[in-house]
């Protein structure tokens, strides 16, 4: 449990550090190098890529904040249950009743708990699932977009050709060796490392997002799937998606705003806050 609590504190710091590094690389190195301005006025391509990057970053950070702002905790369950020594769920949560879970990290009762996200530091449930899914989507898009610009930066600045598919696979070990031999700069090695970080985070977020959308469409949660519970949901998949994404789901795709009507318990919870 101590390791989980430590991870719960380190993961958000890692996220903000990676975000700050990505922001600095984009506006200090990538954009000026790939799209140099010959005169005082910026080029259309520079403005276009700046707007695209800021849009992706704004939605990723906005949905990240909304995931934390609207926690999935229950406002009616204020008593912390005591976990018995024979409880099978000894990792981070145990099942109560009526689709509720008690999270041992949050120390709160969670409604329709899906999982505990260490990057946000809270549980994902019925109230913040939509924001979490959109956070994964835009984080994946931001990382993959940064990967493309990073490759373009290395091509323009250091004349590295990526025509051979094996170039990317051997780029990190070769760059590490060249760095210790004094052949390449620390900036080049750092950008190469960030390429692999962006690729890894982008693919993980994309895969995790697809999994969450599938579970939502089936009316199931990750906790239920781990416990081997098959949910006999009578609602069609469209209704399940509507419950999470709301009626204004198109607006939620482009802006981190609330698109789901709050139930009475949700309103009481925010009044107490």
């Amino acid at each position: 449990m101590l390791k989980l609590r430590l991870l719960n504190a380190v993961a958000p710091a890692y996220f903000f550090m990676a975000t700050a590094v990505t922001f600095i690389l984009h506006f200090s190195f990538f954009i000026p190098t790939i799209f140099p301005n010959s005169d005082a006025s910026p080029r259309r391509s520079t403005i276009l890529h700046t707007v695209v990057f800021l849009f992706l970053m704004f939605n990723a950070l906005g949905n990240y904040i909304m995931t934390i702002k609207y926690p999935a905790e229950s406002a009616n369950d204020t008593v912390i249950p005591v976990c018995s020594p024979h409880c099978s769920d000894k990792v981070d949560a145990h099942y109560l009743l009526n689709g509720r879970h008690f999270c041992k990290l949050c120390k709160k009762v969670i409604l329709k708990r899906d999982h505990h996200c260490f990057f946000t530091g809270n549980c994902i449930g019925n109230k913040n699932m939509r924001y979490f899914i959109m956070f994964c989507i835009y984080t994946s898009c931001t990382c993959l977009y940064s990967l493309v610009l990073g490759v373009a930066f290395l091509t323009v600045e250091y004349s590295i050709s990526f025509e051979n598919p094996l170039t990317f696979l051997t780029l990190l070990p070769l760059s590490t060796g060249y760095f210790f031999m004094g052949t390449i700069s620390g900036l080049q090695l750092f950008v190469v490392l960030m390429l692999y970080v962006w690729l890894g985070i982008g693919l993980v977020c994309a895969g995790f997002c697809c999994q969450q959308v599938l579970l939502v469409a089936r009316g199931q949660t990750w906790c239920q799937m781990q416990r081997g519970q098959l949910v006999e949901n009578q609602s069609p998949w469209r209704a399940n998606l509507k419950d999470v994404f709301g009626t204004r789901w198109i607006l939620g795709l482009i802006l981190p705003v609330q698109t789901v009507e709050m139930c009475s318990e949700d309103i009481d919870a925010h009044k107490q806050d």
Side-chain angles (χ1 to χ4, degrees):
M1 184 59 66
L2 179 61
K3 294 181 180 180
L4 294 179
R5 294 188 184 280
L6 181 62
L7 181 61
N8 203 43
V10 172
Y14 169 79
F15 170 76
F16 283 110
M17 181 180 67
T19 301
V21 169
T22 301
F23 194 88
I24 294 173
L25 287 177
H26 266 269
F27 291 102
S28 298
F29 298 100
F30 293 174
I31 298 297
T33 302
I34 301 174
F35 311 103
N37 297 324
S38 57
D39 50 9
S41 60
R43 299 168 55 183
R44 291 183 178 180
S45 56
T46 303
I47 298 176
L48 176 62
H49 285 277
T50 301
V51 170
V52 171
F53 174 75
L54 290 178
F55 172 77
L56 296 176
M57 186 70 76
F58 170 76
N59 276 275
L61 292 177
N63 284 285
Y64 179 86
I65 295 174
M66 296 292 278
T67 303
I68 302 175
K69 182 179 179 181
Y70 295 98
E73 63 193 63
S74 173
N76 298 331
D77 296 297
T78 57
V79 179
I80 298 178
V82 179
C83 183
S84 64
H86 305 289
C87 178
S88 59
D89 300 324
K90 295 183 178 180
V91 180
D92 64 338
H94 63 77
Y95 179 72
L96 299 178
L97 292 173
N98 301 324
R100 300 174 302 136
H101 286 78
F102 172 69
C103 179
K104 300 176 184 178
L105 293 176
C106 299
K107 295 187 180 300
K108 296 175 181 177
V109 177
I110 309 299
L111 297 174
K112 201 175 180 181
R113 182 182 185 271
D114 188 88
H115 68 282
H116 183 93
C117 178
F118 292 99
F119 287 99
T120 60
N122 64 347
C123 281
I124 307 301
N126 63 330
K127 299 179 184 178
N128 55 4
M129 177 60 73
R130 205 277 301 179
Y131 309 115
F132 177 75
I133 292 177
M134 296 308 301
F135 162 68
C136 290
I137 291 177
Y138 278 103
T139 300
S140 177
C141 292
T142 303
C143 289
L144 296 180
Y145 182 72
S146 302
L147 174 65
V148 173
L149 287 186
V151 169
F153 171 78
L154 292 177
T155 302
V156 174
E157 183 70 12
Y158 301 104
S159 301
I160 299 178
S161 176
F162 289 87
E163 295 181 357
N164 189 345
L166 295 178
T167 301
F168 190 84
L169 298 178
T170 59
L171 185 60
L172 180 59
L174 290 178
S175 298
T176 303
Y178 290 150
F179 172 76
F180 286 105
M181 292 172 57
T183 307
I184 65 175
S185 63
L187 174 61
Q188 182 176 346
L189 177 63
F190 184 74
V191 173
V192 170
L193 289 173
M194 289 303 300
L195 292 184
Y196 289 88
V197 171
W198 289 325
L199 178 63
I201 296 177
L203 293 180
V204 169
C205 286
F208 201 72
C209 175
C210 294
Q211 172 189 276
Q212 293 301 121
V213 172
L214 179 61
L215 289 176
V216 169
R218 295 171 56 184
Q220 195 175 17
T221 64
W222 177 254
C223 280
Q224 292 171 337
M225 189 174 67
Q226 280 187 319
R227 295 172 64 89
Q229 295 178 347
L230 297 178
V231 179
E232 296 181 1
N233 198 318
Q234 302 298 329
S235 302
W237 63 271
R238 292 179 182 271
N240 294 330
L241 291 177
K242 184 179 179 181
D243 289 340
V244 173
F245 291 92
T247 55
R248 301 178 299 167
W249 61 272
I250 297 181
L251 180 62
L253 291 178
I254 58 177
L255 290 175
V257 296
Q258 185 177 349
T259 59
V260 182
E261 295 294 332
M262 296 179 63
C263 62
S264 59
E265 186 183 24
D266 298 343
I267 297 176
D268 295 338
H270 287 287
K271 284 183 179 180
Q272 293 178 2
D273 294 340

